[in-house]
Amino acid sequence: WSVHKFGGTCMGSSERIQNVANIIVNDDSERKVVVVSAMSKVTDMMYSLIHKAQSRDESYVSALDELLEKHKLTALKLLDGDDLASFISKLQHDINSLKDLLRAIFIAGHVTESFSDFVVGHGELWSAEMLSYVIRKLGVECNWMDTRDVIIVNPTSSNQVDPDFLESERKLEEWFSRNPSKTIIATGFIVNTPQNIPTTLKRDGSDFSASILGALFRARKVTIWTDVDGVYSADPRKVSEAVILSTLSYQEAWEMSYFGANVLHPRTIIPVMQYNIPIVIKNIFNLSATGTMICRSPGDENGDGQRLESLVKGFATIDNVALINVEGTGMVGVPGTANEIFSAVKDASSEHSVCFAVPEDEVNDVAKALQSRFRQALDAGRLSQVEVIQNCSILAAVGQKMASTPGVSASLFTALAKANINIRAIAQGCSEYNITVVLRREDSIKALRAVHSRFYLS
Ligand code: ADP
Ligand code: ASP
């Protein structure tokens, strides 16, 4: 099996969906799973109409009609005859049900997460179904898979979901006995709970769907199609000299995506890693580009071994973070204080980093949780303050064994100093694969360019 995933941009219009179908039909692997996102902007539109209904704003009705029109127009350009009629009738039926559901949300002025997940998943249902009709029209037999029938997940304490692979394998066998097929068009993003309540893999989760299916099918390769030539050494929208990385290890790819390279969802790496399945990132608009290959132990593509610069693969930034600084003499020599701080943070935040940067929208809750946990120490003066520094960004340099190699950090800090950038915090030693600094948000792009040019143009 080979798995292909096409993101929202690839599925953005009738021409693009036709293009995806052509790529699939011309792909020479014998058996394939094609995972698709909703058409671009559709998931955003869905979240926005839920928000409107919940805020008792009647315009959710016209927003829903807009979605209907968008999919109808696309289908009209791609399909005809019975295929068109059955797609439109299903679409109309879904829109009617969503109207009822959103009306209930409008009346209640409230929405639960499972209602919301059920609504937003429709984008993937429509795009997958449309694509399967187009592929059949090209003469290739295929089945479409509603992945809520196959991928089972359990919630985690940090508001994420984890796939239950054993149960999903069982579900896949059941599905396959009903739908034996060599070409499967699967919905990205949507999944199910053991209690049969539809849910999602959260924003941008279709990459993760593709790798879960890659693991379930023991695929020989997962190809993620997007709108850039592969993973760049930095976000190409911010650093015009960024270069394509022809290979990355799983760990490097994970670190790049975790620290903000949104070409890949960070959790994508985990399911394929255990079966050694490579991921290839390819550009749907530039088929001749080789792309980026992510695998366990890539060769040294630059051929320059341990050269300092070759250890650093790329840079990424996360904006919208705030720093929390807990200070006081009471922390000196008191074992367990750091542990207590992190456990207080854990109760209030779904995410934190070792350098204690938290997403900006969570900083107030985190600061309050710390203040209440350390009330006594603060009142007694053992802790002087829980300081919040807003408007920060995290800049990470990523590369294999880079952090422990002498000279790399020095080069990084020199580049930042030369660019006159003030570093607010440094996290080093938490992973061999990254060096992370926290700086002012307004310096984020300048810092990214400064470090990139130090390592790539010197
Ligand atoms: P899709 O819609 O195909 O899922 P996304 O829009 O989520 O794709 O991700 C692709 C985008 O990620 C690219 O257009 C690019 O601007 C951005 N990006 C950020 N950092 C990087 C990076 N280091 N390498 C490649 N692309 C990056
Ligand atoms: N459509 C979903 C989103 O926009 C999932 C995805 O595209 O990966 O978040």
Side-chain angles (χ1 to χ4, degrees):
W1 288 95
S2 64
V3 173
H4 293 265
K5 180 260 170 178
F6 295 90
T9 327
C10 303
M11 298 290 290
S13 64
S14 55
E15 294 77 18
R16 289 186 181 181
I17 295 176
Q18 187 67 57
N19 189 26
V20 167
N22 295 340
I23 289 179
I24 292 308
V25 169
N26 292 321
D27 173 71
D28 55 12
S29 26
E30 208 192 315
R31 295 179 301 169
K32 43 205 143 183
V33 183
V34 182
V35 182
V36 295
S37 290
M39 293 179 75
S40 62
K41 313 253 166 40
V42 164
T43 314
D44 289 343
M45 286 164 85
M46 297 265 192
Y47 276 110
S48 137
L49 59 90
I50 293 172
H51 180 72
K52 283 180 171 159
Q54 185 190 5
S55 331
R56 303 211 163 98
D57 172 352
E58 294 261 19
S59 69
Y60 78 86
V61 180
S62 53
L64 198 54
D65 288 339
E66 224 179 281
L67 270 177
L68 171 67
E69 276 315 295
K70 182 179 171 84
H71 288 87
K72 222 185 209 172
L73 283 178
T74 311
L76 278 168
K77 289 189 191 149
L78 288 168
L79 313 176
D80 46 34
D82 289 350
D83 292 352
L84 179 63
S86 59
F87 179 76
I88 300 274
S89 118
K90 162 96 176 6
L91 176 68
Q92 190 66 64
H93 174 269
D94 287 347
I95 294 279
N96 291 343
S97 317
L98 290 178
K99 226 168 232 172
D100 292 344
L101 208 62
L102 287 156
R103 179 81 194 148
I105 295 171
F106 177 87
I107 293 166
H110 172 74
V111 64
T112 63
E113 196 177 338
S114 47
F115 261 48
S116 166
D117 278 354
F118 176 76
V119 173
V120 297
H122 279 77
E124 270 70 10
L125 291 169
W126 298 328
S127 61
E129 197 166 7
M130 254 193 295
L131 180 65
S132 64
Y133 279 121
V134 180
I135 289 181
R136 265 187 235 125
K137 212 173 143 189
L138 292 173
V140 173
E141 226 3 86
C142 66
N143 276 314
W144 83 277
M145 175 194 277
D146 176 344
T147 36
R148 294 174 302 184
D149 296 336
V150 172
I151 304 178
I152 306 300
V153 298
N154 289 305
T156 69
S157 56
S158 52
N159 205 23
Q160 300 261 7
V161 290
D162 272 347
D164 177 340
F165 282 100
L166 275 182
E167 190 51 21
S168 304
E169 249 164 45
R170 203 181 61 71
K171 290 275 189 186
L172 178 61
E173 264 170 40
E174 266 176 33
W175 185 91
F176 214 77
S177 64
R178 280 180 271 120
N179 307 278
S181 10
K182 285 188 171 174
T183 302
I184 299 170
I185 314 302
T187 51
F189 189 44
I190 52 176
V191 289
N192 214 340
T193 66
Q195 297 74 31
N196 201 19
I197 298 172
T199 181
T200 69
L201 294 174
K202 313 298 169 205
R203 289 313 307 260
D204 302 320
S206 297
D207 291 348
F208 192 23
S209 305
S211 75
I212 295 171
L213 289 168
L216 289 174
F217 279 89
R218 310 286 192 271
R220 63 178 178 81
K221 184 165 87 174
V222 173
T223 307
I224 305 227
W225 293 88
T226 185
D227 60 351
V228 282
D229 282 354
V231 182
Y232 279 85
S233 50
D235 187 337
R237 291 167 300 190
K238 296 176 180 165
V239 180
S240 55
E241 319 84 63
V243 298
I244 283 287
L245 303 169
S246 54
T247 57
L248 282 174
S249 68
Y250 288 128
Q251 185 73 28
E252 287 168 334
W254 186 84
E255 303 256 356
M256 282 292 282
S257 56
Y258 181 79
F259 286 108
N262 55 332
V263 62
L264 196 66
H265 185 288
R267 303 188 79 203
T268 311
I269 302 299
I270 300 157
V272 290
M273 242 172 101
Q274 64 167 318
Y275 299 108
N276 236 337
I277 302 167
I279 297 181
V280 179
I281 314 278
K282 294 243 338 151
N283 189 349
I284 192 153
F285 304 115
N286 182 13
L287 299 184
S288 59
T290 27
T292 299
M293 155 89 88
I294 300 166
C295 56
R296 177 157 294 162
S297 37
D300 172 17
E301 77 275 20
N302 301 323
D304 50 7
Q306 291 298 299
R307 197 167 68 89
L308 201 58
E309 288 74 17
S310 72
L311 293 171
V312 179
K313 282 287 181 70
F315 302 91
T317 51
I318 309 179
D319 292 326
N320 305 326
V321 296
L323 260 188
I324 294 204
N325 184 20
V326 183
E327 255 179 38
T329 50
M331 288 180 63
V332 181
V334 182
T337 312
N339 194 18
E340 250 198 83
I341 291 172
F342 284 120
S343 98
V345 170
K346 199 163 156 273
D347 293 342
S349 165
S350 56
E351 225 172 295
H352 64 80
S353 89
V354 282
C355 69
F356 223 111
V358 293
E360 201 146 68
D361 55 5
E362 291 173 9
V363 71
N364 290 336
D365 289 345
V366 173
K368 262 191 229 146
L370 284 170
Q371 268 149 355
S372 102
R373 182 79 64 105
F374 291 100
R375 188 73 276 149
Q376 275 189 339
L378 283 162
D379 288 347
R382 290 195 304 281
L383 289 184
S384 56
Q385 61 172 344
V386 174
E387 185 192 9
V388 171
I389 305 165
Q390 305 265 13
N391 299 321
C392 293
S393 290
I394 294 176
L395 166 72
V398 172
Q400 195 117 9
K401 300 212 173 78
M402 173 199 79
S404 59
T405 305
V408 177
S409 315
S411 283
L412 188 84
F413 295 128
T414 308
L416 291 171
K418 276 195 181 151
N420 231 348
I421 284 155
N422 186 8
I423 298 171
R424 299 203 137 158
I426 300 168
Q428 197 186 348
C430 48
S431 147
E432 276 282 281
Y433 291 82
N434 75 68
I435 300 171
T436 308
V437 296
V438 180
L439 24 91
R440 285 202 306 253
R441 179 162 335 132
E442 65 205 61
D443 289 338
S444 167
I445 294 185
K446 189 164 102 175
L448 195 57
R449 290 181 182 152
V451 291
H452 189 273
S453 66
R454 165 66 188 88
F455 285 89
Y456 273 93
L457 302 178
S458 57

